[in-house]
Amino acid sequence: MIKALESVAEAEFLPPEFIRGEVAAGRVVIPGNRNRPSVRALGVGRALRTKINVNLGNSPLAGHTGTELAKLRCAVNAGADTVMDLSTGSDADEIRRRILDASPVPVGTVPIYQAVGMVDEIADLTPEHLIQVIEHQARQGVDFMTIHAGLLRAQLPAAKRRLLGIVSRGGSILAQWMSIHGRENPLFERFDRVLDICREHEVTISLGDGMRPGCLADASDEAQFAELDVLGRLVSRCHEAGVQVMVEGPGHIPLHQIEMNMKRAESICHGAPFYILGPVVADCAPGYDHISSAIGAALGAYHGAALLCCVTRTEHIGLPGCADIHEGAMAFRLAAHAADVALGRPGARDRDDAVSAARRDFDWERQFELSLDPELSRRMREEALRQSAPAPDGGTGFCTMCGPKYCAMRISNETLHEDASTRAVNP
Amino acid sequence: MIKALESVAEAEFLPPEFIRGEVAAGRVVIPGNRNRPSVRALGVGRALRTKINVNLGNSPLAGHTGTELAKLRCAVNAGADTVMDLSTGSDADEIRRRILDASPVPVGTVPIYQAVGMVDEIADLTPEHLIQVIEHQARQGVDFMTIHAGLLRAQLPAAKRRLLGIVSRGGSILAQWMSIHGRENPLFERFDRVLDICREHEVTISLGDGMRPGCLADASDEAQFAELDVLGRLVSRCHEAGVQVMVEGPGHIPLHQIEMNMKRAESICHGAPFYILGPVVADCAPGYDHISSAIGAALGAYHGAALLCCVTRTEHIGLPGCADIHEGAMAFRLAAHAADVALGRPGARDRDDAVSAARRDFDWERQFELSLDPELSRRMREEALRQSAPAPDGGTGFCTMCGPKYCAMRISNETLHEDASTRAVNP
């Protein structure tokens, strides 16, 4: 742990003692299963650089080991700080093992998916079986696990009044099990067992938001906040048990409710890192949910979220492929960065200033090298030049948007700076 | 004008007297040149639905009449509320004429581009020539014109201290002209002439932000706000002269300064509609500036902007094509809609609720029909089904993301709603 603390401190430009204090207070987690010592040390918390998670995993209808390992490579190349394997196909156990072998970044799972895969009907699940699956995955080396322990029977009437009910897979499974058996959430009732397993294998718990709103109409409603209150109490139990914990959040939230949602979660969950899925800020944009959620995620990160779960453009439509994952990860790195700049995180804006200086100096290669996606930006410039009329100086001193005569950058440089040394970064 | 007021009132679900009052107070403009009576009546203002503008126009290096008319069709099909023809090629006058003939939506221009196109060097521009070009374009039927009258000589030392100087084309051209001739901005000095022309032809003035920041380092600086103060005074002169006016805004602004920028502009410019270009919230994302600016635009619209100028993914790299324009327009319609929902604009969320209900009911066709981009969302679903294993019921009751067994929507519907009549929209 000391080595991990030091790595995190170095990566965040912060003193190790500070990181230690944040970890001790539960405001930073460093996910890493003791059975997977190779995992990259990564800090997740409000005081640190905003992180992004990318979801992998097949479904019973699409994807296999090969596709999921390829998606892992795409995700890591695109800058994913963590990945989750959400596989639900028949080969899910093998895919998880292979992803754990291959992933340099922390890997999360939702164990209830495996448990459901092993029975014919949700009704056939047993609490003991659920616990065994959690233990199995902990032994396999999973670094963090989504545990939907906060969705209780008492919340179901509120969910019934919703436009969209329960849109979390784990949440809907548990709700159905509770309804059929007339019993309480088995993960809530056996939470001490979960804590024992997670403490033993050093698994970070990610408290699932089974009641996250699935549409704007259901945002910030009774069901969502009733579950959040339970999550707050479970956070305390994790802290008391010495188990690292983060809390999952919405979902679908209109723009004007994002700040309130982040602050409420921070306060109720004692500052545990808040891990948000989106949120998307509109329901009517299937095919553009990577953008909708990047808007929500940037605001969420600015107001309190520590980890942003990438949403791809295939959300609400189908399983994402590599290209969708790459694009979604870029949108979320951008959202995370925008929030980090706005929060004044150490060093965050340096990169923007360097890109801007390269723009001023028409140093295209340096601009692209420092950009979020060097390969894409280079390719786009090459394409633009290919479609352009021959340019007087080979095209270095302007772009095809304006051409040389109308290039504001060139005219401004000429007008304002005969002596380039007068340029300075505005404080 | 009475007919236009009524059309706007109907489109906005607001009473005509209210629109009349907002127009009289200068808080709403309805751009429409008297020489182009065919233009669609469109209200732009803080109290109305957020509008989007799409930029068209070739450059001396790329594009011609055919490409620009095709881009106009793309823009209108994608839902552009207004377009601007920013052509700077040798055929710019012909392109403008053809766009004015063809466009059902208000068309804006930046007349100084044509003026510069007619001389060899910026130094050769004359104030009288500038005025003649404005008059020419007003006669042609241009509905709104960007006039960079607020950038004054006194602001140039502040621009010199910037990382990126002046990134507005019109602004950099005027700055160079002022530097070379040692004279004041001719558009400022002849603003009464501009007002006469615009009043005669019923052209709406869009006061250009020549000093808009071109990078985060220059945001909210002395140069930007010195120009804004002048723009505020020019707004008053427009109102006194009976000329409709809006004000152009940034640019590149970090997330945490957007609210302040919107409120400052609203206050200094007497509530004139604020027309923002982005803003992008990071400088380091060439290739993703449609997303970067959608984040800024959503926040900008929420905090005060009335018209959002689409930024495409080719920003900072090259001239956009039809596909880039379509994608950028969708990102901005999404941003505008997210703000309208957050602001509680009449009817805005109805569409989201209808899409969500269609999702719940697995009515894919209705979901897509109501979505921002029906064609794209349909195509993505078809593609997902093609790549999927054969689905038990032809694939209507779930998607490839989860498949039927893990479908939260199906499980939730089963669990919570044996009687579908208990569903209700959360107030």
Side-chain angles (χ1 to χ4, degrees):
Chain A
M1 192 64 170
I2 290 172
K3 216 178 133 200
L5 279 175
E6 281 170 0
S7 303
V8 169
E10 197 182 323
E12 304 282 346
F13 306 101
L14 289 165
E17 318 80 70
F18 174 79
I19 306 291
R20 186 193 310 275
E22 289 292 290
V23 170
R27 288 190 298 264
V28 163
V29 298
I30 304 179
N33 187 307
R34 67 182 306 162
N35 307 314
R36 213 165 80 83
S38 64
V39 67
R40 187 183 293 170
L42 176 95
V44 176
R46 178 65 179 143
L48 311 183
R49 183 174 60 76
T50 306
K51 306 301 187 301
I52 69 162
N53 173 78
V54 170
N55 285 342
L56 316 172
N58 72 347
S59 80
L61 296 180
H64 50 73
T65 312
T67 57
E68 301 319 301
L69 287 171
K71 278 152 68 175
L72 170 65
R73 282 190 296 275
C74 292
V76 171
N77 287 341
D81 295 296
T82 65
V83 295
M84 289 191 77
D85 173 20
L86 305 183
S87 290
T88 52
S90 55
D91 46 0
D93 204 60
E94 167 70 4
I95 291 176
R96 187 183 325 108
R97 195 180 61 69
R98 297 284 296 275
I99 286 178
L100 286 167
D101 279 351
S103 175
V105 302
V107 175
T109 60
V110 187
I112 199 170
Y113 297 170
Q114 183 178 12
V116 169
M118 296 163 85
V119 294
D120 286 334
E121 301 284 341
I122 288 169
D124 302 338
L125 277 177
T126 67
E128 197 47 42
H129 178 55
L130 260 177
I131 297 294
Q132 282 165 8
V133 168
I134 291 170
E135 187 152 26
H136 166 71
Q137 295 197 4
R139 285 184 200 283
Q140 273 191 318
V142 170
D143 302 299
F144 62 101
M145 289 182 192
T146 298
I147 304 290
H148 296 91
L151 193 160
L152 303 186
R153 284 183 74 194
Q155 297 154 13
L156 296 183
K160 238 177 166 143
R161 291 191 290 272
R162 286 179 152 185
L163 180 59
L164 236 58
I166 303 173
V167 301
S168 146
R169 287 195 279 193
S172 67
I173 290 164
L174 287 163
Q176 184 159 81
W177 190 91
M178 292 190 282
S179 290
I180 290 171
H181 293 289
R183 292 167 62 186
E184 191 48 277
N185 182 338
L187 293 170
F188 178 79
E189 295 214 310
R190 281 161 184 76
F191 198 65
D192 283 331
R193 292 280 301 280
V194 175
L195 287 173
D196 289 342
I197 295 166
C198 292
R199 189 176 39 232
E200 181 184 345
H201 299 280
E202 293 176 12
V203 174
T204 298
I205 290 181
S206 185
L207 288 169
D209 55 336
M211 285 296 190
R212 70 170 171 267
C215 62
L216 299 183
D218 296 340
S220 311
D221 75 341
E222 188 190 335
Q224 181 193 335
F225 287 143
E227 183 188 44
L228 184 65
D229 289 339
V230 181
L231 298 182
R233 296 200 293 276
L234 294 173
V235 164
S236 299
R237 287 175 63 186
C238 292
H239 288 168
E240 284 156 21
V243 171
Q244 296 196 106
V245 63
M246 27 186 206
V247 176
E248 299 182 13
H252 290 234
I253 299 281
L255 209 60
H256 64 297
Q257 293 178 3
I258 292 177
E259 179 174 358
M260 177 272 284
N261 268 271
M262 298 303 118
K263 295 200 163 147
R264 185 160 176 156
E266 187 173 10
S267 146
I268 288 177
C269 296
H270 316 285
F274 201 39
Y275 169 24
I276 57 176
L277 178 64
V280 301
V281 293
D283 301 336
C284 64
Y288 297 91
D289 279 323
H290 61 310
I291 300 178
S292 179
S293 58
I295 294 171
L299 258 189
Y302 179 62
H303 290 297
L307 179 59
L308 310 176
C309 188
C310 295
V311 174
T312 74
R313 67 158 75 229
T314 69
E315 185 76 19
H316 300 111
I317 300 182
L319 203 65
C322 268
D324 308 312
I325 283 178
H326 178 83
E327 182 187 41
M330 290 297 164
F332 272 68
R333 281 181 58 203
L334 169 54
H337 178 73
D340 286 344
V341 166
L343 291 164
R345 298 232 189 278
R349 217 195 62 194
D350 296 352
R351 181 180 189 171
D352 299 279
D353 293 347
V355 166
S356 297
R359 259 178 203 152
R360 176 197 61 200
D361 300 336
F362 297 104
D363 187 343
W364 292 94
E365 183 44 36
R366 181 151 174 78
Q367 182 189 158
F368 295 152
E369 189 184 295
L370 291 168
S371 74
L372 207 58
D373 192 344
E375 201 185 316
L376 174 75
S377 47
R378 263 186 215 115
R379 200 167 61 227
M380 285 174 63
R381 162 104 171 139
E382 280 161 18
E383 181 56 26
L385 290 178
R386 238 195 315 275
Q387 295 185 0
S388 153
D393 69 345
T396 51
F398 47 82
C399 76
T400 60
M401 185 168 248
C402 307
K405 186 171 178 183
Y406 289 89
C407 176
M409 210 69 88
R410 182 188 62 75
I411 300 169
S412 171
N413 286 348
E414 279 175 20
T415 305
L416 301 176
H417 306 293
E418 287 170 12
D419 173 10
S421 68
T422 58
R423 289 175 204 141
V425 175
N426 192 37
Chain B
M1 193 65 172
I2 289 171
K3 213 177 139 203
L5 279 175
E6 281 170 359
S7 302
V8 169
E10 197 182 322
E12 304 283 345
F13 307 102
L14 289 165
E17 318 81 70
F18 174 78
I19 305 293
R20 185 192 311 275
E22 289 292 291
V23 170
R27 288 189 298 265
V28 163
V29 298
I30 304 179
N33 187 307
R34 67 183 306 163
N35 307 314
R36 213 166 79 84
S38 64
V39 67
R40 188 183 292 169
L42 177 94
V44 176
R46 178 65 180 141
L48 311 183
R49 184 174 58 78
T50 306
K51 306 303 187 299
I52 68 162
N53 173 76
V54 169
N55 285 342
L56 316 171
N58 72 347
S59 80
L61 295 180
H64 50 74
T65 312
T67 57
E68 301 319 302
L69 286 171
K71 278 152 70 173
L72 170 66
R73 281 190 297 274
C74 291
V76 172
N77 287 341
D81 296 296
T82 64
V83 296
M84 289 192 77
D85 173 19
L86 305 183
S87 290
T88 52
S90 56
D91 46 359
D93 204 60
E94 167 71 4
I95 292 176
R96 187 182 326 107
R97 195 180 61 71
R98 297 285 296 275
I99 286 178
L100 287 167
D101 280 351
S103 175
V105 302
V107 175
T109 60
V110 187
I112 199 169
Y113 297 170
Q114 184 178 12
V116 168
M118 296 163 84
V119 294
D120 286 334
E121 300 285 342
I122 288 168
D124 303 338
L125 278 177
T126 66
E128 197 46 42
H129 178 55
L130 260 177
I131 297 294
Q132 283 164 8
V133 168
I134 291 169
E135 187 151 26
H136 167 70
Q137 294 198 2
R139 285 185 200 283
Q140 273 191 317
V142 170
D143 302 300
F144 61 102
M145 290 183 192
T146 298
I147 304 290
H148 295 92
L151 193 159
L152 303 187
R153 285 183 73 195
Q155 297 155 13
L156 296 183
K160 238 179 167 143
R161 291 191 290 273
R162 285 179 153 184
L163 180 59
L164 236 59
I166 303 174
V167 301
S168 146
R169 288 194 279 192
S172 67
I173 290 164
L174 287 163
Q176 184 158 81
W177 190 91
M178 292 190 282
S179 290
I180 290 170
H181 294 287
R183 293 169 60 189
E184 192 47 280
N185 182 338
L187 292 171
F188 178 79
E189 295 214 309
R190 281 161 183 76
F191 198 64
D192 283 332
R193 293 278 305 279
V194 176
L195 288 172
D196 289 342
I197 296 167
C198 292
R199 190 177 37 236
E200 181 184 346
H201 299 280
E202 294 176 10
V203 174
T204 298
I205 291 182
S206 185
L207 288 169
D209 55 337
M211 284 296 190
R212 70 169 172 268
C215 62
L216 300 183
D218 296 341
S220 310
D221 75 343
E222 188 190 335
Q224 181 192 334
F225 287 143
E227 182 188 45
L228 184 65
D229 288 340
V230 182
L231 298 182
R233 296 199 294 275
L234 294 173
V235 164
S236 298
R237 287 174 64 185
C238 292
H239 289 168
E240 284 156 21
V243 171
Q244 296 197 107
V245 63
M246 28 186 204
V247 177
E248 299 182 13
H252 290 234
I253 298 283
L255 208 61
H256 65 297
Q257 293 178 1
I258 292 177
E259 179 174 359
M260 177 272 284
N261 268 271
M262 298 304 118
K263 294 199 165 148
R264 186 160 176 155
E266 186 173 10
S267 145
I268 288 178
C269 296
H270 317 285
F274 201 38
Y275 169 25
I276 56 177
L277 179 64
V280 301
V281 292
D283 300 335
C284 65
Y288 297 92
D289 279 324
H290 60 310
I291 300 179
S292 180
S293 58
I295 294 171
L299 259 188
Y302 180 62
H303 289 298
L307 179 59
L308 310 177
C309 187
C310 294
V311 174
T312 74
R313 66 159 73 230
T314 69
E315 185 75 18
H316 301 111
I317 300 181
L319 203 66
C322 269
D324 307 313
I325 284 178
H326 178 83
E327 183 187 38
M330 289 297 163
F332 272 68
R333 280 182 57 203
L334 169 54
H337 178 73
D340 287 344
V341 166
L343 291 164
R345 297 233 189 279
R349 215 194 66 193
D350 296 353
R351 182 179 188 172
D352 299 279
D353 293 348
V355 167
S356 297
R359 258 178 202 152
R360 176 196 61 199
D361 300 336
F362 295 103
D363 188 341
W364 293 93
E365 183 43 37
R366 181 154 175 77
Q367 182 189 157
F368 295 151
E369 187 185 295
L370 291 169
S371 74
L372 208 57
D373 192 344
E375 200 184 317
L376 175 75
S377 49
R378 261 185 216 117
R379 201 167 60 227
M380 285 175 61
R381 161 107 172 138
E382 280 161 18
E383 181 56 28
L385 290 178
R386 238 194 315 276
Q387 293 184 2
S388 151
D393 69 345
T396 51
F398 46 83
C399 75
T400 59
M401 184 168 249
C402 307
K405 186 172 179 184
Y406 289 89
C407 175
M409 210 69 89
R410 181 188 64 75
I411 301 169
S412 171
N413 286 348
E414 279 175 20
T415 304
L416 301 175
H417 306 295
E418 287 171 14
D419 172 10
S421 68
T422 58
R423 290 176 204 141
V425 176
N426 193 36

